[in-house]
Amino acid sequence: MDAARVIGELEPSMDVAAAAWVVAGVRRFDEFAVGSLVPQGFAAYGRVFHPAYDGGLEVRWAQVARANRRQAHPAMEWGSITGSWRFLEGTCQPGVWDQMPSMGSLPVRQAARLAELLAAHTATPQRCWFAVWEGFGNLAVQLEATPRLAMPQRPMLLLRGPLSAAPTSLARHPADQRASLWWPEDRSWCVATDVDLLSTYVGGSQECIASVVAADDIEAMVVPVDQRVTWDSDAINPPSSDSPHWRASSRDDQ
């Protein structure tokens, strides 16, 4: 392997067949469900909420919901708990948050902590796979030389390395981009972060997902595999006063 192509502990893989089970296991893209991101067949699924920030400090979605007199629940949407989709355009809520959750990339601290939790639920932590959507700008992976993983509507580049590499940015500095998909060789769990989403989803055993949800330093909830992940999925909180600028049929929030 050309050393110039190695990214931290990760190296691009020419063997996309190693990810065939993921491609075969996800639902159709236009179903816009958890199972469209993470392969079906796991005993349980969890949703990890990317934090907002206020003065550099993490702010949980539950805090944002409470400040806006909304209810925190597994299918909550950013536009619903804030009350408006204008908050995706740089507007903030003074005294609550001044930076919205990261879209399309699990923050580095959460990635490191999630990897630490998931390490206890795989027998192959030194042999893991990582895939990143080819459409991200400034990727450190050589696009021309790396074969594509044919995820529905999201062609990806495949890399391999130890689970400890989960926090690695796959973009050139100063850009910052975590993997879109990652899983261990024994397929005991799988993590997915779609380019348009503010949350990350995990499929695994009941014990695995319970450990993620129980962690007090990550905001996560159990979700069903058929839960929708679109901006209008929140059926509990009042609908936002406006709507996203993209098509309602796309995966565009969580």
Side-chain angles (χ1 to χ4, degrees), residues 186-236:
D186 64 8
R187 306 180 186 179
S188 53
W189 45 258
C190 185
V191 178
T193 309
D194 189 78
V195 58
D196 288 330
L197 308 190
L198 309 180
S199 296
T200 290
Y201 293 87
V202 187
S205 66
Q206 293 281 358
E207 295 77 12
C208 173
I209 301 306
S211 71
V212 173
V213 172
D216 59 9
D217 51 356
I218 283 184
E219 186 179 20
M221 294 185 182
V222 174
V223 294
V225 69
D226 58 354
Q227 177 174 296
R228 286 178 62 83
V229 296
T230 53
W231 66 269
D232 56 353
S233 300
D234 191 337
I236 293 179

Side-chain angles (χ1 to χ4, degrees), residues 82-111:
T82 59
S84 174
W85 284 98
R86 74 178 185 276
F87 293 122
L88 285 179
E89 301 177 337
T91 307
C92 66
Q93 293 186 304
V96 183
W97 59 274
D98 57 27
Q99 181 181 336
M100 64 171 280
S102 62
M103 181 179 290
S105 184
L106 182 62
V108 63
R109 189 192 72 77
Q110 279 72 20

Side-chain angles (χ1 to χ4, degrees), residues 153-179:
Q153 303 296 316
R154 297 287 194 263
M156 296 186 185
L157 308 168
L158 190 62
L159 303 95
R160 61 188 178 189
L163 180 53
S164 58
T168 302
S169 174
L170 299 178
R172 295 184 179 88
H173 185 77
D176 184 53
Q177 180 61 56
R178 235 67 55 213

Side-chain angles (χ1 to χ4, degrees), residues 22-38:
V22 178
V23 178
V26 295
R27 294 183 177 183
R28 286 174 39 177
F29 183 85
D30 58 6
E31 290 188 26
F32 311 128
V34 174
S36 300
L37 307 174
V38 184

